[in-house]
Amino acid sequence: DIQMTQSPSTLSASVGERVTITCRASQSISHWLAWYQQKPGKAPKILIYRASNLASGVPSRFSGSGSGTEFTLTISSLQPDDFATYYCQQFDNFPWTFGQGSKVEIK
Amino acid sequence: EVHLEESGGGLVQPGESLRLSCAASGFSFRSYVMTWVRQAPGKGLEWVSAITGGSGFTYYADSVKGRFTISRDNSKTTLFLQINSLRAEDTAVYYCAKVGLGDDFSYNGMDVWGQGTTVTVSS
């Protein structure tokens, strides 16, 4: 199975800051990676698909990059609505797997 | 509007069975891979199972293989998850999700999610 490892697990940041979250795969997954945002008590919401494609309706301050085994999610200017937990997920091979999550907290 | 709504969760005893449902609307259900994802209390997301659209090929996480069965009724646009021999570690919110498709029919991640249904396994 492909293991997905995110870093950091928790991140404290201020409104307006640039934030980067990293996701590493235990083997190459090409560009078959998605990023999701989840707020407490809510279902996840897709942000990025195929590593770098912005999902419909997602603000342009979110961006994704990477291929192979290393990927990043960047929020160019953190907004109050962005404080949440973020997950990466590979869909290169079954079983699909998620990273453990990265919580973005208010500094 | 594309919509998914799960049902069937509840409080059950260890060893019992449960059947979760996910009613879909607003899209061509039979054309899409559908999937279940769960989240234990205070934990991260765990992919559970997926089923392809027309052919109905199924896939499972190792942790549920042999106990969980995913199925779908395309005529009723409904996804199911049969869970047998429930264990305490199956306690979680169970989400169904639609897998997006690109123009080349490759996957675009889970683009629509239901609100989740809670399964609690306790004696």
Side-chain angles (χ1 to χ4, degrees):
Chain A
D1 298 1
I2 299 173
Q3 308 302 316
M4 306 301 291
T5 304
Q6 290 181 231
S7 60
S9 295
T10 306
L11 183 158
S12 295
S14 302
V15 171
E17 272 191 55
R18 182 182 182 89
V19 166
T20 299
I21 297 168
T22 298
C23 177
R24 289 187 174 86
S26 59
Q27 65 189 69
S28 177
I29 57 169
S30 184
H31 58 282
W32 302 113
L33 183 101
W35 289 97
Y36 304 89
Q37 177 194 66
Q38 188 182 33
K39 297 180 180 179
K42 301 293 187 182
K45 169 191 168 183
I46 191 167
L47 299 175
I48 302 287
Y49 63 93
R50 296 200 212 182
S52 61
N53 292 273
L54 199 66
S56 177
V58 175
S60 58
R61 63 181 179 273
F62 291 92
S63 63
S65 64
S67 67
T69 61
E70 188 154 337
F71 303 86
T72 58
L73 173 71
T74 299
I75 309 173
S76 61
S77 177
L78 197 65
Q79 298 302 301
D81 191 48
D82 302 337
F83 292 97
T85 301
Y86 295 84
Y87 295 91
C88 62
Q89 177 245 331
Q90 68 81 17
F91 47 103
D92 178 62
N93 269 319
F94 286 107
W96 291 345
T97 43
F98 286 92
Q100 82 278 14
S102 295
K103 186 175 182 180
V104 177
E105 298 180 329
I106 300 173
K107 190 172 185 179
Chain B
E1 181 192 359
V2 178
H3 186 70
L4 298 172
E5 185 162 347
E6 303 93 338
S7 60
L11 173 62
V12 294
Q13 296 194 343
E16 291 185 341
S17 298
L18 209 55
R19 190 193 201 200
L20 307 183
S21 299
C22 171
S25 60
F27 64 101
S28 180
F29 180 75
R30 66 175 64 245
S31 299
Y32 291 90
V33 173
M34 297 295 295
T35 189
W36 289 96
V37 173
R38 68 182 180 181
Q39 187 169 37
K43 302 297 184 182
L45 301 173
E46 180 186 14
W47 177 79
V48 171
S49 182
I51 184 168
T52 60
S55 52
F57 290 119
T58 59
Y59 304 89
Y60 298 94
D62 293 342
S63 58
V64 307
K65 207 173 292 184
R67 293 191 303 122
F68 288 24
T69 302
I70 191 171
S71 62
R72 63 193 298 160
D73 184 335
N74 288 336
S75 67
K76 297 182 178 178
T77 66
T78 302
L79 176 72
F80 302 101
L81 186 69
Q82 177 71 37
I83 309 175
N84 297 330
S85 304
L86 276 154
R87 306 166 178 168
E89 55 264 36
D90 296 320
T91 294
V93 176
Y94 285 75
Y95 297 100
C96 67
K98 166 184 167 288
V99 178
L101 276 181
D103 292 340
D104 57 358
F105 300 102
S106 56
Y107 300 143
N108 282 351
M110 302 172 198
D111 60 356
V112 180
W113 294 68
Q115 84 290 346
T117 188
T118 301
V119 173
T120 303
V121 184
S122 176
S123 55

